[in-house]
Amino acid sequence: MMDMKLDMIDAYIDGEITDKSLEQEILSKINNDNNFAIEYRVHSLVKNLVKEKLVFKQTPAKVRAKILKSIGSTTKVPSQSNSFLSDIFEKPSFSFATAFVVILAIVLIIINRPGVIENKDFAIEQLGNDNMFVQAKNNFNSIITGKLTPQLTSKNADEIKNFFNNNGVKYSTLVPSFSDWVLVGAVVSEDKGEKFAHHVYADKNGKLAYLFQVDESYLYNHKIISLSDDLIKYLDDGNCYTYISDGSVTLFTKLDNNICAIVSNGNPKEVENTFCSL
């Protein structure tokens, strides 16, 4: 689906979208994206109220007379006998009461928005053997204890990428290079018939950093490997998530179309500065 902008909502409400496929994409976005749904309700409400309440009326006689006088016209404007009640009813129908209704509706919608997720502890949501967070932590512990060793030993990024490709990894992989972390090797795992890419770095002090990368499509369908939807959205928004426990730091970030888990026993701040800036 194409990248939608919120200002397309107005065009959709006003019936200005002529492309049927685009119209369907916007409707799907409204039905599935909370932000778009909220904006749609707000814009629709305001537009409907304006249509129903804002009535265009003839310019009052006094105003017309002043305008004609200011331009030097000698045209006479018939006088109107306005009572107190008629003055009230000639005021614009989009009144204070209507404005209050609009503001109240917007406030209620904002109050009911989904909670801000930036401050959530995403780690407590990551459960189950198919969860990428859980798998990354377990894999790193297996590396540290010697239960999991590289299938390929190499310091060359291109050689590792070719290893992934030649051993059945279907998605494009990225193997970044760093000045303070040297490539050690790589592993290809298999889960429910799908192959996944893992590689390892070491620093000058012998600390390890393990990187597990998965194309985002695998995480969206949750059939083989999963992450909580809130964490996926947090990463889609360009954020890097950091979790420190049991003498290791776990990071999640997004690199192109791949979601990457990094687990390390190195200095948490240094690891974060290195891998969150991928």
Side-chain angles (χ1 to χ4, degrees):
M1 182 180 289
M2 67 176 288
D3 185 25
M4 292 288 178
K5 294 183 179 179
L6 290 175
D7 58 11
M8 297 183 74
I9 291 175
D10 282 327
Y12 176 78
I13 295 171
D14 293 335
E16 297 173 356
I17 303 296
T18 56
D19 186 323
K20 292 298 182 183
S21 63
L22 177 57
E23 184 179 18
Q24 287 300 314
E25 288 186 15
I26 296 172
L27 181 60
S28 175
K29 194 74 171 176
I30 291 170
N31 290 332
N32 296 289
D33 185 302
N34 285 330
N35 287 330
F36 265 74
I38 289 167
E39 293 294 335
Y40 174 73
R41 291 200 294 270
V42 171
H43 288 228
S44 296
L45 176 63
V46 173
K47 286 178 179 290
N48 287 336
L49 282 170
V50 170
K51 285 180 181 178
E52 294 173 6
K53 300 296 184 181
L54 188 59
V55 179
F56 293 96
K57 293 185 176 293
Q58 185 177 10
T59 305
K62 290 181 181 179
V63 176
R64 292 167 62 198
K66 286 182 179 180
I67 294 173
L68 290 170
K69 184 178 179 180
S70 68
I71 63 176
S73 174
T74 58
T75 304
K76 299 295 182 181
V77 178
S79 61
Q80 294 177 347
S81 56
N82 291 336
S83 66
F84 174 74
L85 290 176
S86 66
D87 284 340
I88 290 178
F89 285 109
E90 283 196 6
K91 292 182 182 298
S93 298
F94 194 79
S95 61
F96 172 80
T98 304
F100 176 77
V101 171
V102 174
I103 293 171
L104 179 61
I106 293 172
V107 168
L108 289 174
I109 291 172
I110 290 173
I111 289 174
N112 287 297
R113 281 178 182 266
V116 178
I117 65 173
E118 278 77 358
N119 296 322
K120 289 187 65 173
D121 184 1
F122 297 109
I124 62 175
E125 299 179 339
Q126 315 311 317
L127 302 170
N129 293 331
D130 64 344
N131 185 272
M132 187 177 181
F133 183 98
V134 174
Q135 289 187 5
K137 294 276 289 180
N138 290 341
N139 290 343
F140 182 72
N141 289 334
S142 295
I143 292 171
I144 293 297
T145 57
K147 296 178 182 178
L148 179 62
T149 57
Q151 296 167 337
L152 169 73
T153 301
S154 175
K155 296 181 180 181
N156 186 286
D158 289 334
E159 188 175 356
I160 289 176
K161 289 171 66 176
N162 289 333
F163 171 75
F164 291 147
N165 185 55
N166 294 333
N167 283 274
V169 177
K170 296 178 181 177
Y171 50 92
S172 177
T173 56
L174 301 110
V175 184
S177 298
F178 308 101
S179 58
D180 297 329
W181 292 88
V182 178
L183 283 164
V184 174
V187 174
V188 171
S189 66
E190 182 172 348
D191 191 355
K192 299 181 179 68
E194 294 291 337
K195 302 291 184 69
F196 296 108
H198 316 253
H199 64 278
V200 181
Y201 298 90
D203 71 2
K204 61 183 178 181
N205 298 314
K207 300 296 184 180
L208 299 178
Y210 156 72
L211 194 154
F212 175 16
Q213 59 183 303
V214 172
D215 185 274
E216 59 186 345
S217 62
Y218 288 94
L219 294 164
Y220 290 150
N221 59 39
H222 298 287
K223 291 180 180 178
I224 300 174
I225 191 166
S226 66
L227 276 180
S228 68
D229 291 339
D230 281 351
L231 179 51
I232 292 174
K233 183 180 186 307
Y234 186 73
L235 301 176
D236 281 340
D237 290 340
N239 300 298
C240 181
Y241 173 63
T242 305
Y243 176 77
I244 301 173
S245 70
D246 304 325
S248 67
V249 55
T250 302
L251 305 178
F252 270 81
T253 189
K254 191 170 181 181
L255 188 58
D256 290 346
N257 293 324
N258 292 355
I259 290 180
C260 301
I262 300 97
V263 189
S264 176
N265 56 359
N267 180 281
K269 196 63 181 176
E270 293 177 2
V271 173
E272 183 176 3
N273 289 339
T274 298
F275 290 94
C276 279
S277 60
L278 288 175

